[in-house]
Amino acid sequence: MGKGFDSAAVAFHRDGELALDASVVTIGAFDGVHRGHQELLRQTIAAARRRGIPAVVYTFDPPPKVYFGQAEALISLHEKLERIATFTPDHVIVADFNQIYVRRTAADFLAELQLLQPREVIVGEDFRFGSCKGGTAQLLRQHFNTRILPPVRCGKGEIVSSSRIRTLRRSGLAAAASALENWRDIVTASPANRSAQLEVINP
């Protein structure tokens, strides 16, 4: 995992491997790393920089909806991590979303998150965790200082989501789907980030 990425120094880890004294954490599937995901990444990294502590992105492979056969992945894991790394978080955690992981309870996830000593957790309002989606953003707020971001909307007021991007692609509206991902603009704006060397830890 992680070889060949063009980004600033980012450390990659499997779930349960990383322990920190303090951090700001964002969590999600990040499938497509679309405009909504990009806002989560920006807010998380900005908050971490203000506090002078590491920014951590926690994601899943495959995305839960893909594992359960409810959707196809928008991009590969390699491309997803490349896109996330362009925003230069300090750490990216990739959880293997498999038959063992799906049996983990919300309490199990909270215990793992505690290893990161988060000073702030930033998620979208539809965030769920634990078996049968038993954990919600509101439950997370009971245990950690949690900021719940509202959904990002496109010019027509519709929520930017991976599901909407899939629908647009299936309808042959590739340009509209690309606009919601907004990736070409990000790449164009970040030449320095693309050319730096990635540090891989715990491959």
Side-chain angles (χ1 to χ4, degrees):
M1 179 177 64
K3 292 183 178 179
F5 289 9
D6 290 327
S7 180
V10 177
F12 287 81
H13 313 267
R14 294 296 184 184
D15 56 293
E17 292 180 343
L18 180 64
L20 296 170
D21 294 330
S23 66
V24 177
V25 183
T26 187
I27 313 160
F30 295 102
D31 190 17
V33 195
H34 57 59
R35 288 172 54 192
H37 300 143
Q38 291 163 23
E39 185 61 20
L40 282 170
L41 293 169
R42 289 191 192 97
Q43 294 284 345
T44 299
I45 292 164
R49 300 296 180 262
R50 286 194 300 269
R51 294 171 179 267
I53 57 179
V56 180
V57 179
Y58 189 113
T59 191
F60 309 93
D61 177 48
K65 284 187 178 181
V66 175
Y67 175 83
F68 289 115
Q70 299 168 343
E72 69 281 3
L74 289 174
I75 56 178
S76 67
L77 173 63
H78 186 277
E79 188 171 2
K80 176 169 77 169
L81 296 183
E82 278 189 320
R83 293 185 178 192
I84 290 173
T86 300
F87 288 82
T88 66
D90 298 287
H91 301 276
V92 177
I93 296 171
V94 181
D96 288 319
F97 201 85
N98 53 32
Q99 61 182 354
I100 297 173
Y101 194 92
V102 298
R103 292 198 293 268
R104 296 178 60 181
T105 65
D108 292 334
F109 184 80
L110 292 169
E112 181 186 348
L113 195 56
Q114 186 61 52
L115 295 174
L116 305 176
Q117 295 292 316
R119 299 294 182 265
E120 186 173 11
V121 180
I122 302 176
V123 295
E125 63 183 18
D126 61 347
F127 176 66
R128 300 289 184 275
F129 62 96
S131 59
C132 301
K133 298 182 179 180
T136 65
Q138 296 300 331
L139 176 60
L140 198 62
R141 181 172 273 169
Q142 295 175 25
H143 296 266
F144 303 102
N145 174 28
T146 301
R147 190 177 356 150
I148 303 171
L149 297 189
V152 171
R153 297 179 182 271
C154 64
K156 296 181 179 179
E158 296 172 320
I159 292 175
V160 176
S161 69
S162 300
S163 296
R164 175 151 179 73
I165 292 170
R166 291 187 188 94
T167 299
L168 289 170
R169 285 186 178 181
R170 287 195 296 267
S171 302
L173 301 173
S178 179
L180 295 189
E181 288 186 274
N182 194 42
W183 192 247
R184 290 179 182 174
D185 291 344
I186 295 296
V187 171
T188 301
S190 307
N193 288 347
R194 297 198 311 278
S195 62
Q197 181 66 39
L198 174 70
E199 174 189 356
V200 180
I201 294 181
N202 295 327

